[in-house]
Amino acid sequence: MKPFFNQTIEETLQQFNVTSDKGLSSAEAEKKLEEVGPNQLASKKQKTLAAMFFEQFKSSMVVILLIAAAVSAFIGISEGEGVTEAIIILAILLVNAIIGVWQESKAQSSLEALNRMSAPHSKVLRDGSVTEIVSTEIVPGDIVVLDTGDIIPADMRLIEAVNLKIQESALTGESVPVEKNTATIESGDVPLGDRENMAFSTSVITYGRGKGVIVGTGMDTEVGKIAGMLQGAQETETPMGKRLEQLGKILGYVALGICLLIFGVGTLYGNNWLEMFMMAVSLAVAAIPEGLQIVSTIVLAIGVQRLVKLNAIVRTLPSVETLGSTTVICSDKTGTLTQNKMTVVEGWTGGNRVDFRNPPVPEELNDSEKTLLNSSLLCTDAHLKILPDGTHENAGDPTETAIVDIALSLDLNKNDEEQKYPRVSEVPFDSERKRMATVNQMPEGKLRVNVKGGLDEVLAVATHILMHGKVRPITEEDITTVRNENDRMAKSALRVLAVAYKDIDTLPAEVNAETIENNLVLIGILGMIDPARPEVVEAVKKCKTAGIRAVMITGDHKVTAVAIADEIGIYAEGDKAVTGTTLQEMPDEELYRDVEKYSVYARVAPEHKVRIVKAWQSHGDIVAMTGDGVNDAPALKQADIGVAMGIVGTEVAKDASDVVLTDDNFATIVGAVEEGRRIYDNILKAIQFLLSANVGEVLLIFIASIFNLGNPLTPIMILWINLVTDSLPALALSMDPAEKDIMTRRPRDPKQGFFTKGMTWRIFYQGMTIGLISLVAYLVGFHDGGQQLGQTMAFAVLAFSQLIHVRNLHSNKRSSFQTSLMSNKMLVLAILASAALMLIVLFVPPVRDIFKLEVMDRTHWLYVIGLSFVPIVVVEIVKLLKINHTKEEY
């Protein structure tokens, strides 16, 4: 069966067994409603809260921590110390799970938003008369009556169109309303935006009236197909999630290996196998940074709050880090890179060009320019409303509101002009002649006919031209000059309107195109475009500096898209542009291979956007997709991070996205990327800090076990340091300011895990330093007062050395002393708070007894203080000698 846009009106009506003057009968409509169901989108089965909750416990890190909790409980019960450690671990996991469920439950409303966009009521022809019904009751075959302002309730083949214009930007991405007609389209391969005899669900009628026969409802509409794609879109795992999963697996293998080794060594020493098993398991618990899960979650949450101040609302926590890893931004054009507002930018009249980007002051307008503006302004149906605060609002066709705006900026108020020159008659625009005309009363008693339309259409009825302030017969040379100006504007992707006039003494007996649109004087032409946002040019430059590729994906025409992309810096010499039609014929293998060659994708459909995102992802890129329309939702969902516009964006786009920009400013994305990079750097610092501390603990227990020196730390001491003393400074590291070069370096390789050579080296040598000084403290205490004093000294050195060591983490390259102590005030407070907690444990008798610690004398305190400063000395020497073995950026 032929597509409906290829069918004649008669064929379509015959297919649904309906006539254009009677419509369906009530009985037929009721029967069809039972067969096809209501005109609404199918709801995707949502996860239950319980399912979301249990999904939070699937990662390797969480599984290891659950095992650690069980082991801690077993050890605690066995040794009569209770299950405090296990409760603490489980509490942390519970908080993480609750946060995860809360975030996920917020992100499941895309289809509900699509349903909310449906028109509540529609006018349909039933039993030969027009009646208003709820739009959900519309069925295929219904004849729907359309008027200006109506929202299209379902997809339809137009059977009547009188000056009909429909705004389809939310679906196609094209900023200008589309002129509709009823003519059959012969070509079988026509993009959505060029199907001029069709009207699509959720589009809005901006001008004229018409009728259409419904050909698709609910999930069978173009919006319904998008809804289906949203249901089928796979959730992409974030880079942070992948890396934490990788980290969890590595720590699991390390813990298992250590358990086996310690158990084997202890058995060879002839120790009790159960005691050795307990010690091996305790050491495995020490290998796991219990605070890492909650620290990374809270660090991301803090980043979310900071991004709100940057006008970016983050809907999912991991998206903060994903922003920082972004390598490609696939940006929608209309409303994202452009202002989504047609604007007059150029003009030509009286032989001179007029630059309306830098318009002359009103007093400097010459007579030709005033006539051009006045005639074009009077020949519009747009409405101007001046608000009490002095601002204004426009309503009407975007092309006409652009004329109203430019005239107002030059002190020509449409309302005042219409009072001065009232309209007495008109010939409305129609798609056949592509012109409109108004007749206005002039003060001298004459009437002026004002005409605007396409250049060829206006030239066809013009016999004179206004040139250098004088009216004279138009010549071939004049026509060539005007056409050259028209072509010049068109090459810059401007939409061109020609304006003409003539004065008459009286109205003809019958006012129509034939009687008044003749012998006109051509005044000139106006060029308009949906212009780029002024801040976007700088934002694109910053993207390039940061190693991020910006790509334009739009439903607009290729010429317009390339012109805008060239203006803002997305389209460079050697780049290519491709249309949706070409893309449709291109196999996936070719697209995936050549995707990096294309900077502009024009006239694309929703499924094309998803393919483009997937093509970039096939190269291992982290893809951000920006957009505001219904048509952007599937790609927003497919992308690693979807960025929706908050002001002009549809609810569908917002609900399918990860980030919503509250100022609709493309430049805000650059600030968000910078914040994402800063957060990722700081999470790396926290991971390095926590793991170096854990390596120190593991090394301390490992060496003591190998040389049969007893157990230098009890499980409760390990958990206190990991969960309390370490976690506060690790959290405070998230407040570190960004490095100066953060937006001049390339994005981190998405395939690169946490454990680079440099990161592994730093964790190892810093952890070894902490472990060895803690071992020295244990041996000194053991020698002077037995195991309990040794454990007390090891516990104190381990904690205080890490609090001092955290100052090393500001930079892997710069000396710690080059960073002001007050550059991160939160870190200073965290160190003081952690130190205070440690002093409470060491000095308050009831608490000290729980930890089974001894009171240290002045000599042993001097040992503790001296050893605690060793890590900062060692790290400073390593930085000075530049043996970091790293290319990391911070």
Side-chain angles (χ1 to χ4, degrees):
M1 186 177 68
K2 292 189 293 186
F4 290 107
F5 59 84
N6 288 146
Q7 296 182 17
T8 64
I9 293 173
E10 292 73 23
E11 286 174 331
T12 305
L13 292 172
Q14 187 176 358
Q15 184 172 327
F16 290 100
N17 194 26
V18 65
T19 60
S20 60
D21 57 337
K22 295 282 187 184
L24 295 173
S25 68
S26 299
E28 288 174 319
E30 191 174 337
K31 183 180 177 183
K32 283 194 174 186
L33 188 61
E34 289 180 6
E35 292 174 358
V36 301
N39 176 36
Q40 62 188 29
L41 301 170
S43 297
K44 183 180 180 181
K45 188 176 180 181
Q46 302 293 337
K47 296 178 188 174
T48 63
L49 287 176
M52 291 183 195
F53 180 79
F54 287 114
E55 279 190 0
Q56 308 302 318
F57 295 88
K58 292 196 304 186
S59 74
S60 300
M61 178 76 78
V62 173
V63 171
I64 292 171
L65 288 175
L66 286 171
I67 295 170
V71 170
S72 296
F74 180 68
I75 293 172
I77 294 170
S78 300
E79 298 185 0
E81 294 179 352
V83 292
T84 306
E85 298 92 340
I87 291 172
I88 292 172
I89 295 173
L90 291 174
I92 288 172
L93 293 178
L94 185 63
V95 170
N96 271 300
I98 290 171
I99 292 173
V101 169
W102 178 64
Q103 288 290 332
E104 188 173 347
S105 63
K106 285 174 58 183
Q108 298 298 325
S109 54
S110 295
L111 295 176
E112 286 81 354
L114 280 165
N115 278 324
R116 288 198 295 272
M117 289 188 66
S118 301
H121 291 85
S122 299
K123 299 183 288 291
V124 299
L125 194 62
R126 294 261 178 100
D127 300 312
S129 60
V130 177
T131 182
E132 193 169 280
I133 65 170
V134 178
S135 63
T136 54
E137 295 178 3
I138 283 177
V139 296
D142 260 327
I143 305 295
V144 176
V145 179
L146 304 171
D147 290 303
T148 301
D150 287 352
I151 298 176
I152 308 296
D155 289 1
M156 62 182 72
R157 168 67 162 90
L158 294 171
I159 59 175
E160 184 180 310
V162 180
N163 304 324
L164 188 62
K165 293 185 182 181
I166 299 180
Q167 176 60 270
E168 299 177 341
S169 64
L171 189 63
T172 65
E174 187 169 357
S175 55
V176 179
V178 179
E179 294 176 16
K180 295 293 184 176
N181 58 59
T182 60
T184 304
I185 297 173
E186 299 299 332
S187 173
D189 188 15
V190 180
L192 207 63
D194 292 333
R195 296 175 191 174
E196 294 174 352
N197 59 7
M198 300 288 292
F200 302 106
S201 176
T202 73
S203 299
V204 181
I205 298 174
T206 61
Y207 196 84
R209 58 185 176 82
K211 280 184 185 179
V213 56
I214 299 296
V215 297
T217 61
M219 296 299 287
D220 291 329
T221 63
E222 293 298 329
V223 170
K225 293 173 185 176
I226 294 174
M229 283 189 275
L230 280 175
Q231 288 183 352
Q234 295 180 347
E235 298 289 340
T236 53
E237 190 180 359
T238 65
M240 176 62 75
K242 293 174 184 175
R243 288 165 188 155
L244 283 175
E245 183 70 13
Q246 178 198 43
L247 177 59
K249 288 177 181 178
I250 291 172
L251 291 176
Y253 294 138
V254 169
L256 180 62
I258 289 172
C259 282
L260 294 174
L261 182 61
I262 295 301
F263 183 78
V265 171
T267 304
L268 290 175
Y269 274 119
N271 295 328
N272 182 279
W273 72 269
L274 184 59
E275 289 181 11
M276 292 314 305
F277 175 75
M278 293 299 184
M279 187 163 182
V281 172
S282 297
L283 193 144
V285 172
I288 302 168
E290 288 86 354
L292 181 58
Q293 195 79 6
I294 193 69
V295 165
S296 61
T297 301
I298 293 176
V299 167
L300 291 174
I302 292 170
V304 167
Q305 297 307 311
R306 286 173 62 99
L307 281 166
V308 168
K309 296 176 183 177
L310 296 174
N311 299 314
I313 298 173
V314 177
R315 303 179 67 250
T316 54
L317 286 182
S319 303
V320 180
E321 181 271 333
T322 314
L323 267 171
S325 302
T326 299
T327 58
V328 177
I329 298 177
C330 294
S331 176
D332 183 44
K333 178 184 76 69
T334 305
T336 307
L337 296 169
T338 65
Q339 299 172 25
N340 198 21
K341 180 182 178 183
M342 291 299 288
T343 305
V344 176
V345 293
E346 285 191 38
W348 181 91
T349 179
N352 299 314
R353 293 176 183 172
V354 188
D355 183 5
F356 288 114
R357 295 183 180 90
N358 300 293
V361 295
E363 295 77 21
E364 294 178 356
L365 289 173
N366 61 39
D367 289 342
S368 296
E369 291 162 354
K370 288 177 182 176
T371 305
L372 176 67
L373 286 171
N374 190 266
S375 285
S376 61
L377 185 62
L378 292 172
C379 192
T380 66
D381 291 324
H383 299 285
L384 171 65
K385 181 180 179 182
I386 304 295
L387 302 176
D389 62 359
T391 59
H392 70 281
E393 290 179 352
N394 294 329
D397 184 271
T399 302
E400 296 193 336
T401 59
I403 294 171
V404 172
D405 273 335
I406 195 64
L408 189 63
S409 71
L410 293 166
D411 286 354
L412 279 176
N413 183 305
K414 183 176 192 289
N415 300 335
D416 294 343
E417 294 300 298
E418 287 188 330
Q419 279 188 352
K420 208 184 298 183
Y421 312 109
R423 184 183 298 188
V424 296
S425 190
E426 64 185 285
V427 181
F429 176 91
D430 70 53
S431 55
E432 292 294 323
R433 65 185 219 289
K434 289 185 168 57
R435 296 186 302 264
M436 77 170 283
T438 62
V439 182
N440 297 80
Q441 182 72 54
M442 303 301 285
E444 306 84 14
K446 284 186 175 289
L447 298 172
R448 174 161 290 184
V449 177
N450 298 295
V451 177
K452 74 176 190 333
L455 178 61
D456 289 338
E457 288 72 21
V458 172
L459 281 175
V461 290
T463 57
H464 291 70
I465 189 168
L466 180 63
M467 188 69 76
H468 304 299
K470 295 180 180 179
V471 175
R472 60 171 171 77
I474 196 166
T475 65
E476 286 299 324
E477 185 180 347
D478 294 331
I479 292 173
T480 301
T481 300
V482 177
R483 288 193 187 280
N484 288 340
E485 288 297 317
N486 177 80
D487 293 344
R488 181 184 62 81
M489 291 185 187
K491 285 177 182 175
S492 298
L494 302 187
R495 186 177 185 186
V496 182
L497 278 180
V499 185
Y501 82 99
K502 76 171 180 177
D503 291 330
I504 57 177
D505 295 321
T506 58
L507 278 176
E510 186 177 346
V511 177
N512 54 42
E514 287 73 25
T515 58
I516 68 169
E517 290 181 357
N518 53 54
N519 300 315
L520 299 178
V521 178
L522 179 68
I523 309 170
I525 57 177
L526 293 172
M528 57 189 72
I529 197 171
D530 178 12
R533 291 175 176 271
E535 65 276 3
V536 165
V537 177
E538 187 60 32
V540 171
K541 282 182 183 176
K542 286 186 178 179
C543 283
K544 289 184 177 180
T545 305
I548 299 168
R549 176 76 178 273
V551 176
M552 179 190 287
I553 303 179
T554 177
D556 218 334
H557 291 279
K558 184 177 177 180
V559 174
T560 306
V562 169
I564 293 289
D566 183 55
E567 179 186 345
I568 63 180
I570 284 180
Y571 190 82
E573 187 176 349
D575 288 349
K576 292 183 178 181
V578 65
T579 63
T581 303
T582 305
L583 207 60
Q584 185 72 36
E585 299 169 354
M586 191 182 295
D588 283 345
E589 297 77 21
E590 184 180 343
L591 174 61
Y592 285 23
R593 185 190 68 224
D594 297 338
V595 67
E596 294 174 339
K597 297 178 181 178
Y598 302 111
S599 290
V600 175
Y601 298 84
R603 302 303 276 170
V604 296
E607 59 269 22
H608 298 150
K609 295 185 179 185
V610 174
R611 283 185 69 206
I612 294 164
V613 171
K614 286 182 176 180
W616 279 105
Q617 288 172 332
S618 72
H619 288 257
D621 284 291
I622 301 299
V623 181
M625 168 73 189
T626 73
D628 58 1
V630 178
N631 61 317
D632 297 318
L636 290 172
K637 193 95 170 175
Q638 174 63 41
D640 296 282
I641 182 158
V643 184
M645 303 297 115
I647 298 175
V648 300
T650 59
E651 287 301 311
V652 183
K654 294 174 191 174
D655 288 336
S657 67
D658 303 293
V659 177
V660 179
L661 304 182
T662 58
D663 59 356
D664 285 12
N665 190 338
F666 181 84
T668 300
I669 300 172
V670 179
V673 168
E674 181 174 355
E675 179 64 13
R677 289 188 176 190
R678 186 193 69 83
I679 289 169
Y680 187 74
D681 280 358
N682 291 345
I683 287 177
L684 284 182
K685 294 176 187 179
I687 290 173
Q688 182 180 326
F689 172 65
L690 292 173
L691 290 186
S692 61
N694 280 65
V695 166
E697 294 163 10
V698 170
L699 195 63
L700 170 62
I701 298 172
F702 180 73
I703 294 174
S705 302
I706 292 294
F707 293 99
N708 206 22
L709 300 175
N711 193 354
L713 292 174
T714 63
I716 194 170
M717 292 177 186
I718 296 170
L719 285 167
W720 175 263
I721 291 173
N722 287 357
L723 296 174
V724 182
T725 313
D726 287 353
S727 296
L728 287 176
L731 276 174
L733 277 172
S734 70
M735 305 303 290
D736 256 14
E739 291 291 301
K740 291 180 181 178
D741 67 342
I742 198 165
M743 289 300 284
T744 59
R745 66 196 194 208
R746 296 194 63 78
R748 182 175 294 273
D749 184 353
K751 298 175 183 176
Q752 179 179 290
F754 290 130
F755 294 105
T756 61
K757 289 181 180 178
M759 183 73 151
T760 305
W761 158 248
R762 288 192 299 275
I763 290 172
F764 173 73
Y765 92 81
Q766 292 167 11
M768 184 175 66
T769 302
I770 292 169
L772 290 177
I773 61 174
S774 300
L775 180 63
V776 170
Y778 172 70
L779 293 175
V780 170
F782 190 90
H783 177 269
D784 292 349
Q787 185 171 22
Q788 193 164 341
L789 179 58
Q791 287 180 335
T792 303
M793 288 187 68
F795 177 54
V797 167
L798 193 62
F800 290 122
S801 66
Q802 288 172 19
L803 293 181
I804 294 170
H805 168 56
V806 75
R807 277 280 290 158
N808 290 320
L809 276 298
H810 290 302
S811 173
N812 289 326
K813 298 176 181 178
R814 289 182 291 102
S815 167
S816 303
F817 299 104
Q818 290 179 354
T819 303
S820 169
L821 194 63
M822 302 309 291
S823 65
N824 186 345
K825 295 178 182 177
M826 290 300 296
L827 184 59
V828 175
L829 292 174
I831 292 171
L832 292 176
S834 295
L837 289 169
M838 273 301 299
L839 292 174
I840 289 171
V841 171
L842 290 166
F843 284 107
V844 177
V847 183
R848 187 172 63 223
D849 292 341
I850 292 174
F851 282 81
K852 296 179 181 177
L853 301 173
E854 279 195 12
V855 178
M856 292 185 290
D857 58 26
R858 183 181 298 177
T859 302
H860 292 106
W861 266 110
L862 288 173
Y863 275 118
V864 168
I865 293 169
L867 288 169
S868 296
F869 277 93
V870 170
I872 204 162
V873 174
V874 171
V875 174
E876 284 297 313
I877 292 171
V878 170
K879 287 180 181 178
L880 184 66
L881 298 176
K882 297 181 180 179
I883 52 175
N884 262 322
H885 291 199
T886 179
K887 292 182 180 179
E888 266 87 2
E889 294 81 357
Y890 72 87

